[in-house]
Amino acid sequence: MSQPTEFLSYFGFHTTPFTREIRVQDLFVHEIYKDTLEHLLHTVNQRMSATLIAPAGTGKTALLRALKSRLPDTRYRVHYVKVTNLSKRDFCREIAASVGADAARIYPALVRRIQERFANTLDTDSLRPVLLVDEAHAMSPDLLGILRILTTFDMDNRLVVSIILTGQPPLAKALRHQKLEDVAQRMAHQATLRLLSRKETDAYIRHRCQITGVSACPFDQGAMEAIFEIGHGNLRATDHLAFKALEMAHHASCNTVDSNHVTTARGMLCL
Ligand SMILES: Nc1ncnc2c1ncn2[C@@H]1O[C@H](COP(=O)(O)OP(=O)(O)OP(=O)(O)O)[C@@H](O)[C@H]1O
Ligand SMILES: [Mg+2]
């Protein structure tokens, strides 16, 4: 197998293309991305909370990174928490660690500590706390219920922390649970992302090539169409297909990626 560096220079890439390690300033800005980002910024500006619910690979985590970068350090203190299958206590310990509160407490005291920390951030540091909760579809109703407690200050009379609750579509179903009606009601905005159109996918592929320094996009029109037909405009699927197809073309000593390379690439991926 060829070395990665050989593969990069073969096509003229300065850095690895289609990787998840993309800088915020290099993210592809498309219509839905722009609109969703503006709505979330507006929600946070109003000290309100929102959900961001969309299928896997549509760019939710990337958008959270973009949102964080748009919230100036001089006005906001942003915390990112990724939820896996945690207990209530472990979830609170994650948040406590992220906000810099003492995590060695029993559960009810831990919740109070986190609340105090949020209130202090606002009152003493004059910074608005923002909590970005990612992968929230993995949260049990019990765990989601904690968000109601965390966002309640002065008997619900005060807006202190904004939460952006992010996850895949099962999160929407979970929030419709009767037990979580009040959590759902606290979400002032419901944001989503969709799959890219054919035109947007073409532009996305060109953009991802361009940010890695190539002078010309190595994918021909047939390859672009095949990527869209297989990946349906899902960003992660597009990345994986495009990267694998580049490897196939390189392996066959072709300078241009065509639809055959994409079809071969598909057979080697779980799509
Ligand atoms: N705006 C963007 N510009 C460039 N690349 C992007 C953008 N959004 C997403 N990507 C790419 O698509 C991949 C998938 O995006 P991301 O991880 O944000 O999806 P997700 O919706 O959070 O998926 P999951 O639900 O599985 O966590 C990223 O690794 C990144 O390479
Ligand atoms: Mg994600």
Side-chain angles (χ1 to χ4, degrees), residues 57-264:
T58 47
K60 300 180 293 297
T61 303
L63 195 82
L64 288 183
R65 289 172 54 216
L67 176 65
K68 187 172 189 296
S69 78
R70 291 277 302 273
L71 297 169
D73 293 350
T74 47
R75 284 174 57 207
Y76 296 95
R77 185 159 291 155
V78 185
H79 310 280
Y80 175 86
V81 186
K82 190 168 160 171
V83 182
T84 43
N85 221 351
L86 301 177
S87 67
K88 280 207 294 202
R89 181 160 181 262
D90 287 345
F91 178 53
C92 288
R93 288 178 77 166
E94 281 283 310
I95 299 175
S98 164
V99 305
D102 178 8
R105 305 243 161 192
I106 52 164
Y107 168 65
L110 202 52
V111 172
R112 269 200 309 278
R113 245 323 134 89
I114 296 167
Q115 281 183 308
E116 276 166 25
R117 191 76 194 182
F118 283 145
N120 271 345
T121 302
L122 189 62
D123 298 338
T124 317
D125 306 339
S126 303
L127 295 173
R128 292 188 189 177
V130 179
L131 185 63
L132 308 177
V133 182
D134 204 359
E135 314 251 330
H137 53 270
M139 291 171 78
S140 64
D142 232 23
L143 213 50
L144 285 166
I146 294 177
L147 300 177
R148 170 187 51 237
I149 309 169
L150 288 182
T151 51
T152 305
F153 292 84
D154 294 346
M155 297 175 82
D156 232 3
N157 209 13
R158 217 178 149 212
L159 294 169
V160 175
V161 57
S162 291
I163 295 183
I164 307 296
L165 191 60
T166 306
Q168 294 170 11
L171 173 61
K173 193 168 169 234
L175 287 171
R176 284 196 292 271
H177 196 290
Q178 206 186 355
K179 253 171 76 178
L180 294 173
E181 210 178 336
D182 42 5
V183 175
Q185 281 170 359
R186 280 172 169 77
M187 299 292 144
H189 180 72
Q190 291 171 27
T192 191
L193 289 168
R194 59 160 168 77
L195 300 172
L196 298 190
S197 67
R198 188 182 292 272
K199 211 169 140 198
E200 287 167 338
T201 304
D202 283 12
Y204 175 74
I205 294 169
R206 286 181 208 287
H207 173 80
R208 296 272 345 218
C209 290
Q210 189 229 318
I211 58 171
T212 57
V214 283
S215 48
C217 172
F219 294 85
D220 73 11
Q221 200 47 43
M224 300 269 213
E225 276 166 29
I227 290 175
F228 181 74
E229 292 302 327
I230 299 167
H232 305 290
N234 180 290
L235 294 168
R236 187 175 293 127
T238 301
D239 284 352
H240 289 169
L241 267 172
F243 187 82
K244 204 76 188 155
L246 278 164
E247 282 188 337
M248 295 298 111
H250 177 225
H251 191 64
S253 303
C254 297
N255 292 323
T256 305
V257 184
D258 62 25
S259 60
N260 290 325
H261 299 129
V262 178
T263 315
T264 315

